[in-house]
């Protein structure tokens, strides 16, 4: 087992600026990485940009600048966006880097010497997107080549080829023997069906006469390697892989402490890029089955049911959304309004509605009213109380189950959306623990209380217990103390649980609670081990409320 949780995203092509799909993938990876750091694990999060290729060369020519200068400008846009969105990566991959180039050329030289790369002249139908000659096996039932192949044209050209097809039976066996090679499972079925149809080898080069913006083949200076052995290799070249060592077991300790990775990719680059080409490439250079990465495949954000594309003119600019609503609002929407692995329709109206309902009106209101009441009724000082009642006992039991079971289980399945629901929404009755399901609530007014998430549970509790009435009755002091403590302590735990998705808000809650102030602004301020009940001590002094989520008003 690796010593470090290693997570990667697809590297983004630098022929144009980032769009909302790029933002979703990177925020998803960032949330998963933050969760693993929250558990106390070491994390290595790799993302970056793919700077070579024909489209880049064409875009640069159209802009009237050299490719290197063109990609530098586009690369900076990606860097700027991840900074704005609080995407905290550990290593940044740029495929023009010299270290990456050495690894790519080292791998190509090895495979060439082993006879797995050969030169050939081929004529036939060619997939421009996938850089592969196609055969009739790739045709669909209608006799046409499917959309996954993109533009298909007839071509005759001399190039270098990687013996992809000779690894077909290995890949089928690997997929059959590892049930979680691809998540979600229906994508694994999709991959296996594609592998069954696999035939022919993979074109991996372009003659310099028509493309010189790439990494030169080490065994033929008239060609550059094209796409696959350049772009895909970044996942290991920036993690410490040494191409001069052919045995995986002999790789540097730094690399083996990280690998294998969880690799987050879009559904459009599972087949054939990552599910076929990448896995076979790793197998060909000596990676054993147990060292194969796991592929987490996410869906698309569509617009009105249609895929976003530059040609359709419906691209959503994440820079505009961050400027308009803030990073936290966009992060929350991207994680809460889509199920990992499936598609969703992007709606700016829903972004605003969810922010106002879940964050401004619910969590923000809870923080504000709790601190106001502690200041007004207890001069900002928390007091422990022996008083207990059904509603507060239920709250503690519920939070305990969430922290110990539901929350970790959901993140183990990369389900950030449902994990947020536990805190800010509702939980299905069937998802309650056996203990909570068997626990009856005597007070019928509290029946709906069972399935509310932590934040709505706390807000419900305020309305049910009516602290403003308790404050007028000295005999109810213990009950009021208990309620205020339960609200403040719940907020402390809520901040920990939402910190992977809403890091700034989590710091804001801790700041206003005046908790762990010495770590203000640092991610180490939050630990899942600290989400046990009872962290705030008797006599703790809280701060005064400051609006955490100002409502978004649409004119």
């Amino acid at each position: 087992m690796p010593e470090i949780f290693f997570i990667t995203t697809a590297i983004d092509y630098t022929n144009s600026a980032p769009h909302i799909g790029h933002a979703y993938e990177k925020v998803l990876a960032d949330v998963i990485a933050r969760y693993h750091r929250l558990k106390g694990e070491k994390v290595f999060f790799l993302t970056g940009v793919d700077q070579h290729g024909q489209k880049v060369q064409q875009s640069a020519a159209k802009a009237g600048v050299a490719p290197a200068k063109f990609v530098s400008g586009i690369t900076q846009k990606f860097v700027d966006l991840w900074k704005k969105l609080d995407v905290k990566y550990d290593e940044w991959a740029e495929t023009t880097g010299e270290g990456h180039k050495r690894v790519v050329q080292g791998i190509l030289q090895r495979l060439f010497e082993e006879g797995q790369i050969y030169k050939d002249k081929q004529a036939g139908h060619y997939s421009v997107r996938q850089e592969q000659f196609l055969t009739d096996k790739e045709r669909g039932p209608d006799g046409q080549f499917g959309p996954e192949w993109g533009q298909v044209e007839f071509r005759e050209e001399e190039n270098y080829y990687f013996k992809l097809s000779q690894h077909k039976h290995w890949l089928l066996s690997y997929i059959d023997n590892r049930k979680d090679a691809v998540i979600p499972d229906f994508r694994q079925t999709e991959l296996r069906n594609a592998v069954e149809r696999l035939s022919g080898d993979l074109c991996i080069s372009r003659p310099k006469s028509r493309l010189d913006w790439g990494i030169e083949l080490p065994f033929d200076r008239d060609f550059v390697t094209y796409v696959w052995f350049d772009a895909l290799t970044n996942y290991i070249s920036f993690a410490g892989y040494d191409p001069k060592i052919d045995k995986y077991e002999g790789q540097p300790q730094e690399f083996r402490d990280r690998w294998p990775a969880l690799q987050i990719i879009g559904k459009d680059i599972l087949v054939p890029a990552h599910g076929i080409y990448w896995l076979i490439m790793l197998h060909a250079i000596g990676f054993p089955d147990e060292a194969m990465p796991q592929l987490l495949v996410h869906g698309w954000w569509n617009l009105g049911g249609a895929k976003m594309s530059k040609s359709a003119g419906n691209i959503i600019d994440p820079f505009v959304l961050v400027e308009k609503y803030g990073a936290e609002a966009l992060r929350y929407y991207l994680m809460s309004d889509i199920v990992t692995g499936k598609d969703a329709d992007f709606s700016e109206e829903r972004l605003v509605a969810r922010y106002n309902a879940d964050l401004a009106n619910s969590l923000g209101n809870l923080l504000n009213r709790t601190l106001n009441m502690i200041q007004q009724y207890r001069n900002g000082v928390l007091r422990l109380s022996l008083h207990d009642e059904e509603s507060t006992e239920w709250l503690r039991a519920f939070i305990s189950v969430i922290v110990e079971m539901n929350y970790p289980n959901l993140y183990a399945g990369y389900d950030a959306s449902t994990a947020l629901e536990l805190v800010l929404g509702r939980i299905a009755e069937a998802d309650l623990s056996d203990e909570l399901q068997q626990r009856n609530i005597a007070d019928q007014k509290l029946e709906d209380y069972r399935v509310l998430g932590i934040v709505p549970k706390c807000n419900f509790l305020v309305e049910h217990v009516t602290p403003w009435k308790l404050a007028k009755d000295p005999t109810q002091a213990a009950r009021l103390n208990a309620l205020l403590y339960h609200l403040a302590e719940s907020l402390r735990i809520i901040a920990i649980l939402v910190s992977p998705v809403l890091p700034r808000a989590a710091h804001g809650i801790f700041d206003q609670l005046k908790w762990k102030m010495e770590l203000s602004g640092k991610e180490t301020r939050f630990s899942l081990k600290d989400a046990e009940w009872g962290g705030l001590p008797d006599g703790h002094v809280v701060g005064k409320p400051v609006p955490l989520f100002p409502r978004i008003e649409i004119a």
Side-chain angles (χ1 to χ4, degrees):
M1 288 292 290
E3 295 291 322
I4 298 169
F5 177 74
F6 183 13
I7 184 169
T8 74
T9 70
I11 54 173
D12 299 314
Y13 202 40
T14 50
N15 67 322
S16 59
H19 56 67
I20 199 67
H22 296 119
Y24 169 61
E25 180 174 287
K26 275 53 179 186
V27 170
L28 175 61
D30 181 67
V31 167
I32 294 171
R34 285 178 184 271
Y35 169 73
H36 281 269
R37 287 193 289 264
L38 191 69
K39 288 202 302 176
E41 296 178 17
K42 293 179 180 177
V43 172
F44 186 71
F45 174 14
L46 172 66
T47 190
V49 285
D50 178 6
Q51 297 170 310
H52 289 131
Q54 192 151 348
K55 290 179 183 177
V56 168
Q57 183 170 291
Q58 290 168 346
S59 296
K62 188 176 181 181
V65 297
K69 184 176 181 180
F70 180 83
V71 298
S72 176
I74 298 294
T75 295
Q76 191 58 49
K77 291 181 179 180
F78 283 97
V79 171
D80 291 345
L81 181 60
W82 306 149
K83 186 175 181 179
K84 283 180 179 291
L85 281 172
D86 291 317
V87 172
K88 188 179 178 183
Y89 49 83
D90 298 289
E91 184 67 45
W92 179 253
E94 294 187 9
T95 55
T96 53
E98 286 300 315
H100 172 72
K101 177 181 175 181
R102 283 193 296 273
V103 174
V104 170
Q105 291 182 324
I107 289 172
L108 289 169
Q109 186 66 43
R110 264 176 52 196
L111 292 175
F112 181 72
E113 291 172 359
E114 292 169 4
Q116 295 209 59
I117 292 176
Y118 63 93
K119 193 176 188 181
D120 192 19
K121 180 178 285 188
Q122 228 173 327
H125 288 96
Y126 189 83
S127 165
V128 176
R129 175 190 292 174
Q130 305 299 353
E131 302 305 321
Q132 178 183 341
F133 278 97
L134 307 177
T135 69
D136 286 341
K137 287 187 178 181
E138 277 78 47
R139 294 183 187 272
D142 61 355
Q144 301 299 309
F145 295 110
E148 68 271 21
W149 301 109
Q151 178 187 347
V152 176
E153 61 186 31
F154 189 86
R155 180 178 292 182
E156 182 176 17
E157 188 173 74
E158 189 173 46
N159 267 305
Y160 284 90
Y161 293 83
F162 169 57
K163 292 182 178 178
L164 190 77
S165 57
Q166 74 176 22
H167 301 279
K168 173 180 176 177
H169 295 297
W170 165 80
L171 185 53
L172 286 171
S173 175
Y174 167 72
I175 293 170
D176 289 342
N177 291 328
R178 181 177 178 182
K179 301 307 178 186
D180 66 345
V182 183
I183 300 172
D185 55 5
F186 70 89
R187 295 293 181 198
Q188 181 148 334
T189 302
E190 177 185 308
L191 172 59
R192 196 192 188 287
N193 292 338
V195 178
E196 284 280 13
R197 299 191 298 271
L198 177 64
S199 64
D201 292 334
L202 179 64
C203 180
I204 62 159
S205 71
R206 283 291 176 273
K208 280 187 179 179
S209 57
R210 70 179 181 92
L211 175 66
D212 59 6
W213 182 241
I215 297 175
E216 186 179 277
L217 293 185
F219 43 81
D220 192 332
R221 298 184 64 181
D222 292 331
F223 290 81
V224 296
T225 187
Y226 193 67
V227 183
W228 311 117
F229 278 91
D230 182 356
L232 295 173
T233 300
N234 95 88
Y235 301 129
I236 57 176
S237 68
F238 287 92
Y241 178 79
D242 186 345
K244 296 189 292 292
I245 302 171
D246 58 358
K247 298 291 184 183
Y248 176 82
E249 297 76 14
Q251 283 296 317
Q253 190 65 47
E254 177 189 50
F255 179 73
R256 287 184 290 119
D257 283 347
R258 292 168 175 167
W259 194 265
L262 171 69
Q263 303 206 256
I264 300 182
I265 58 172
K267 66 178 186 179
D268 55 324
I269 56 173
L270 170 64
V271 175
H274 288 79
I276 298 178
Y277 301 165
W278 176 228
L279 296 183
I280 286 178
M281 284 164 57
L282 290 172
H283 175 67
I285 60 174
F287 280 57
D289 289 9
E290 60 270 19
M292 290 294 147
Q294 185 179 51
L295 303 177
L296 174 59
V297 184
H298 64 76
W300 287 339
W301 281 99
N302 297 320
L303 198 61
K307 181 187 176 184
M308 295 184 196
S309 69
K310 285 183 290 184
S311 58
N314 60 356
I315 293 292
I316 302 293
D317 186 344
F319 283 105
V320 173
L321 294 172
V322 172
E323 187 67 28
K324 197 171 181 181
Y325 304 117
E328 297 283 89
L330 183 54
R331 284 177 66 100
Y332 180 69
Y333 177 70
L334 291 177
M335 290 299 99
S336 64
D337 216 44
I338 189 170
V339 176
T340 306
K342 297 186 178 180
D343 293 351
D345 251 11
F346 186 88
S347 164
E348 197 167 335
E349 291 75 18
R350 274 192 62 77
L351 184 158
V352 172
R354 291 210 66 149
Y355 171 90
N356 281 338
D358 299 348
L359 301 183
N361 296 351
S362 190
L363 177 54
N365 182 47
L366 175 64
L367 177 65
N368 187 74
R369 74 200 307 193
T370 297
L371 295 181
N372 264 325
M373 289 188 293
I374 297 170
Q375 292 291 344
Q376 183 178 349
Y377 305 141
R378 293 295 182 263
N379 295 315
V381 180
L382 286 176
R383 292 298 178 194
L384 293 176
S385 172
L386 296 177
H387 176 87
D388 206 4
E389 55 190 272
E390 190 175 37
S391 58
T392 49
E393 184 187 353
W394 241 94
L395 178 63
R396 294 195 309 275
F398 181 80
I399 289 176
S400 176
V401 169
I402 294 302
V403 170
E404 294 174 14
M405 294 174 52
N406 299 66
Y407 185 82
N409 289 342
L410 287 167
Y411 266 106
Y414 314 116
D415 189 354
S417 175
T418 308
L420 284 170
E421 281 291 302
L422 298 177
V423 181
L424 291 153
R426 297 174 71 89
I427 183 171
E429 183 80 28
D431 290 335
L432 293 171
S433 68
D434 292 341
E435 176 200 345
L436 292 179
Q437 285 191 48
Q438 293 165 10
R439 209 186 255 208
N440 293 319
I441 292 186
D443 189 341
Q444 289 302 304
K445 293 180 182 177
L446 289 174
E447 189 57 34
D448 192 48
Y449 182 72
R450 291 164 57 88
V451 293
L452 294 175
I454 301 173
V455 173
K457 232 182 199 70
C458 289
N459 280 318
F460 187 102
L461 195 58
V462 173
E463 301 301 324
H464 177 73
V465 179
T466 60
W468 47 90
K469 294 181 181 178
L470 301 183
K472 298 175 182 177
D473 185 352
T475 66
Q476 296 292 318
R479 190 181 185 200
L480 179 58
N481 285 339
L483 173 65
L484 296 178
Y485 182 85
H486 276 73
L487 296 176
E489 178 64 1
S490 295
L491 279 163
R492 185 187 69 82
I493 294 171
I494 287 164
I496 295 170
L497 298 182
V498 301
S499 64
V501 177
L502 300 168
R504 295 184 197 178
H507 280 293
I509 294 171
F510 267 30
D511 287 346
Q512 294 188 44
L513 288 173
K514 289 190 174 179
W515 187 244
K516 288 197 171 184
M517 297 303 290
E518 72 281 2
L519 293 174
S520 185
K522 298 178 180 178
E523 194 177 357
T524 51
R525 195 180 195 184
F526 308 108
S527 169
L528 199 55
K529 288 188 286 189
D530 291 342
E532 293 183 2
W533 189 267
L536 293 173
D538 182 52
H540 180 73
V541 178
V542 301
K544 293 181 180 180
V546 178
L548 190 62
F549 301 106
R551 276 185 60 83
I552 298 172
E553 302 295 344
I554 303 296

